[in-house]
Amino acid sequence: MSGKLIKCLASSVLLITLLCIGALVYIRTDESRFHSETELQQITFLGTYEVDNNGKLLPFNGSIDGLSHDRHHVTVTGTFSEDIPAGRQLMLRIDNLKVTIYAADKKIYSFGEKGTFPHYARSAGNGWDSLISPGISSDDYVRIELENLYTNHSDTAFSVFFQFMYYGYEGELITSLIRSKAMDLLLAVFIFCLGIIAIVYCILLYPLKKVVRQTFCFAGLSLSAGLWFFIDFNVQCYLIPLPVFNNSLDIVCMIITSVFLVSYFILLLHTRWKILLAAEAALEFILLPAATAAQLMGIYDYYDFLNVIIVFTILEGISIPAMILYENIRFSDKINHSLIDSLALVAGMFLQIFGEHRENKTSLFWFKLGFFIFLILQFWHMAKSVKGIIADSTKAALLEEQKQELIEKVQKDPLTGLYNKSATQKQVASALRTGNPDSLAAFLMIDIDYFKKINDTLGHAAGDSVILIFAGNLRKQFRDGDIVGRIGGDEFAVFIWVPDEVWICEKARKINAALAENITLESGACSITASIGIALAKCEDAEFESLYHQADEALYRAKAAGRNQYSL
């Protein structure tokens, strides 16, 4: 059953891969036709700009240069490169800016004004916004006032605003963005699906109590990384009703992904130096609620912690491979595949940092690619490990089942399924050794009345049927923990703990009544009754042999007194 499930999960991964590749191929091959049919037009802005009202007008060529990491107020004046017909949407890419647009000295648009977003946020968000054009010609004088609300990316925030200006219809923009980000989005879906499959692995492994923590960390890493990969401010703003949460989602996913990544390696590594990773994971774990509380109280913003997260990322990129390398050198007889796997992750991590420093826009892609390769390799190792664990557990369960079957054959009577004579003796002796010395033990010997006559008149097959029916009725009279066995042809024994003599006598009367039965078989009909002999003794004074002999003598008396009764 587990082997079939493993194959099913592997087939699911293959199917998801093929679907993602098919979707990507379709999007890419259909992209040229889409661009030929769309009315979406990119426009540029021509004119001059002024920074912080310093009186210096500089020519504007699509970017604003020389800005420091500080808050700036930029005023750009000029004209659009094309006419924007009335009723068309002018779509703007706003990266945490406060924006005001004037056309012919008339205010036609504003974004990020106080009171238009929650008080605990510093900006109205990171994403797209649009305005309905009142009819703007390429000759109309336009003034755009911008103010950056974060200081850690002031240069890119202004440039992005002017690089991504479109007019047309919003639906066309959404379609275009999804097509342009198809690779990232499908990558995110694929990684997220790996996390779901890892959760299934966790469910499979939980009863086995093996490597569930490591598999759980991988599942959390894949799910959070999948969400983080999906985050693209160009696309997600159309999926989240309030743009102000875009920044929060980005930072939260980054922190959670980092925590799961470090936790995964903590479980993977054996060196004592991994305590440093544990301390780092604890700090990041504390950072998330602390940053959230600071955000909600309006003290700090999530983005204020971005540099802290980058420091954590650099530390992880250095410490994790170093510890893996240390383990591989010290324990050279053990090959740790995670060393090779982590090289892709570390390479992508440093390419991102280097790329951001050099303003390389493709740096995040290489980081995602490195992360993706790392996750695929880890998933492959995990799947093989899980398959081996399940195979070993299945084998162990089979051996245990065979062992139990062997024990059953040795201990149980083949006809009735009750304990045989030797097993009954061992069970009773064990109960007397481990029981409370002051407890009262009762040993009952029960014999089917006139069983030889039933065998002689109806045949041995009928006799076996009678024994089977009798044993079933007898077993029903006692609890699961009571010892019930067949010690001879038609002789049965029962060992139970009783409160007093009156209770066992009343129990014996009920047993006599329950076992008395008229039975109709294929070879004829017969009546069944039973005689019962009872022996009582305190646990500390009792032994199996003495109880057996006392109960046997009591049984003899019950038969001598007329049968179908008990004797104590």
Side-chain angles (χ1 to χ4, degrees):
M1 180 67 180
S2 59
K4 292 181 179 179
L5 188 54
I6 292 294
K7 291 180 180 178
C8 180
L9 293 174
S11 300
S12 300
V13 174
L14 179 61
L15 179 61
I16 294 168
T17 304
L18 293 176
L19 288 175
C20 289
I21 293 174
L24 184 62
V25 170
Y26 171 77
I27 289 171
R28 291 304 186 191
T29 55
D30 197 49
E31 191 170 7
S32 59
R33 182 180 64 84
F34 167 78
H35 285 300
S36 66
E37 295 177 357
T38 182
E39 297 183 19
L40 187 68
Q41 298 293 329
Q42 185 173 10
I43 60 174
T44 58
F45 195 83
L46 309 172
T48 59
Y49 73 92
E50 178 187 12
V51 178
D52 297 330
N53 299 317
N54 59 9
K56 295 180 181 180
L57 294 178
L58 301 174
F60 180 74
N61 56 3
S63 63
I64 298 173
D65 303 320
L67 295 179
S68 62
H69 288 290
D70 201 351
R71 290 188 64 169
H72 297 284
H73 184 279
V74 175
T75 303
V76 184
T77 57
T79 59
F80 287 111
S81 59
E82 298 182 33
D83 296 339
I84 306 175
R88 291 292 184 89
Q89 289 178 293
L90 175 61
M91 285 155 283
L92 308 170
R93 178 66 175 85
I94 303 175
D95 184 358
N96 297 292
L97 294 173
K98 180 181 176 183
V99 182
T100 308
I101 300 177
Y102 299 86
D105 292 327
K106 182 179 180 182
K107 184 177 180 180
I108 61 172
Y109 174 77
S110 66
F111 179 87
E113 297 285 349
K114 284 189 176 180
T116 61
F117 55 90
H119 69 281
Y120 52 79
R122 186 172 296 174
S123 79
N126 187 347
W128 289 89
D129 197 34
S130 61
L131 67 98
I132 304 298
S133 172
I136 305 173
S137 74
S138 58
D139 296 326
D140 289 341
Y141 175 82
V142 177
R143 185 172 85 254
I144 302 176
E145 295 181 359
L146 305 173
E147 183 180 354
N148 64 309
L149 301 173
Y150 291 99
T151 60
N152 53 11
H153 62 303
S154 56
D155 49 351
T156 58
F158 292 113
S159 298
V160 164
F161 179 84
F162 289 102
Q163 288 173 4
F164 298 96
M165 300 178 73
Y166 296 89
Y167 80 85
Y169 297 103
E170 196 170 48
E172 294 176 332
L173 176 64
I174 297 173
T175 306
S176 176
L177 291 172
I178 292 176
R179 288 174 181 276
S180 65
K181 299 294 181 179
M183 176 69 79
D184 288 346
L185 298 180
L186 291 176
L187 203 63
V189 170
F190 187 88
I191 293 175
F192 192 83
C193 289
L194 288 185
I196 293 176
I197 294 173
I199 289 178
V200 176
Y201 280 148
C202 285
I203 296 172
L204 285 174
L205 293 174
Y206 182 75
L208 307 179
K209 305 296 184 184
K210 293 185 177 181
V211 299
V212 174
R213 291 183 299 170
Q214 186 174 326
T215 310
F216 174 78
C217 282
F218 179 85
L221 176 61
S222 297
L223 292 174
S224 57
L227 286 174
W228 185 46
F229 278 29
F230 183 79
I231 292 174
D232 186 287
F233 295 118
N234 288 326
V235 178
Q236 75 181 39
C237 59
Y238 290 109
L239 305 176
I240 300 177
L242 295 176
V244 71
F245 291 118
N246 288 335
N247 294 337
S248 304
L249 187 61
D250 180 32
I251 298 299
V252 168
C253 286
M254 285 177 64
I255 295 175
I256 294 176
T257 300
S258 182
V259 169
F260 275 116
L261 176 66
V262 175
S263 301
Y264 181 75
F265 276 103
I266 289 172
L267 296 173
L268 204 63
L269 294 167
H270 303 287
T271 175
R272 61 184 179 180
W273 293 106
K274 69 180 182 179
I275 191 172
L276 299 176
L277 292 179
E280 184 177 336
L283 289 174
E284 288 184 294
F285 188 78
I286 295 171
L287 176 63
L288 182 58
T292 302
Q295 170 84 74
L296 294 176
M297 290 187 292
I299 302 174
Y300 291 104
D301 191 90
Y302 273 119
Y303 265 2
D304 290 329
F305 298 93
L306 186 59
N307 290 331
V308 177
I309 298 172
I310 292 175
V311 170
F312 279 131
T313 303
I314 295 173
L315 290 176
E316 291 165 13
I318 296 173
S319 58
I320 290 175
M323 290 182 189
I324 295 175
L325 181 62
Y326 170 77
E327 281 201 1
N328 278 266
I329 294 174
R330 183 172 183 182
F331 308 105
S332 56
D333 56 324
K334 297 181 180 180
I335 299 175
N336 194 331
H337 296 286
S338 299
L339 174 62
I340 300 174
D341 301 350
S342 62
L343 290 178
L345 175 63
V346 175
M349 196 179 296
F350 279 104
L351 278 174
Q352 179 197 359
I353 297 170
F354 178 76
E356 287 183 351
H357 179 70
R358 298 292 299 273
E359 298 183 0
N360 184 351
K361 297 178 182 177
T362 63
S363 61
L364 192 58
F365 168 78
W366 292 111
F367 171 72
K368 289 183 176 181
L369 182 62
F371 207 109
F372 172 74
I373 294 172
F374 167 77
L375 287 177
I376 287 293
L377 292 173
Q378 291 301 305
F379 180 82
W380 176 255
H381 297 319
M382 183 192 71
K384 290 200 301 183
S385 175
V386 169
K387 183 179 179 180
I389 290 170
I390 293 179
D392 292 342
S393 299
T394 303
K395 185 178 179 180
L398 182 61
L399 291 174
E400 182 65 24
E401 184 178 343
Q402 292 173 346
K403 179 181 176 182
Q404 290 300 323
E405 288 178 357
L406 187 61
I407 292 174
E408 291 281 329
K409 288 180 180 179
V410 173
Q411 292 188 342
K412 297 298 179 72
D413 173 57
L415 178 61
T416 63
L418 301 176
Y419 287 116
N420 57 29
K421 183 174 182 179
S422 62
T424 300
Q425 181 175 352
K426 290 178 181 178
Q427 291 290 326
V428 172
S430 175
L432 291 172
R433 281 196 307 271
T434 58
N436 187 334
D438 295 328
S439 297
L440 187 60
F443 186 79
L444 287 69
M445 289 189 64
I446 305 170
D447 197 5
I448 301 176
D449 295 331
Y450 306 109
F451 179 74
K452 185 177 183 303
K453 182 179 178 181
I454 296 173
N455 256 345
D456 293 340
T457 57
L458 300 180
H460 289 285
D464 287 347
S465 298
V466 169
I467 288 176
L468 193 58
I469 294 171
F470 184 87
N473 290 337
L474 179 64
R475 176 72 263 185
K476 292 177 183 177
Q477 308 308 310
F478 298 96
R479 299 161 297 189
D480 291 339
D482 297 335
I483 301 170
V484 181
R486 181 188 178 199
I487 59 176
D490 64 328
E491 293 181 342
F492 297 83
V494 177
F495 177 85
I496 56 175
W497 301 105
V498 298
D500 51 45
E501 181 179 322
V502 175
W503 186 92
I504 191 59
C505 290
E506 180 62 26
K507 181 69 175 178
R509 276 191 289 271
K510 291 179 181 179
I511 294 171
N512 274 128
L515 296 178
E517 185 177 5
N518 295 320
I519 301 176
T520 301
L521 304 170
E522 291 183 2
S523 55
C526 63
S527 296
I528 298 177
T529 58
S531 299
I532 304 173
I534 305 172
L536 286 177
K538 275 194 174 183
C539 179
E540 61 180 351
D541 303 324
E543 293 182 355
F544 176 81
E545 293 296 335
S546 61
L547 288 174
Y548 180 88
H549 289 301
Q550 293 175 33
D552 190 42
E553 291 176 0
L555 176 62
Y556 178 79
R557 291 195 297 271
K559 289 183 176 181
R563 302 178 189 266
N564 192 22
Q565 56 185 288
Y566 72 91
S567 176
L568 179 63

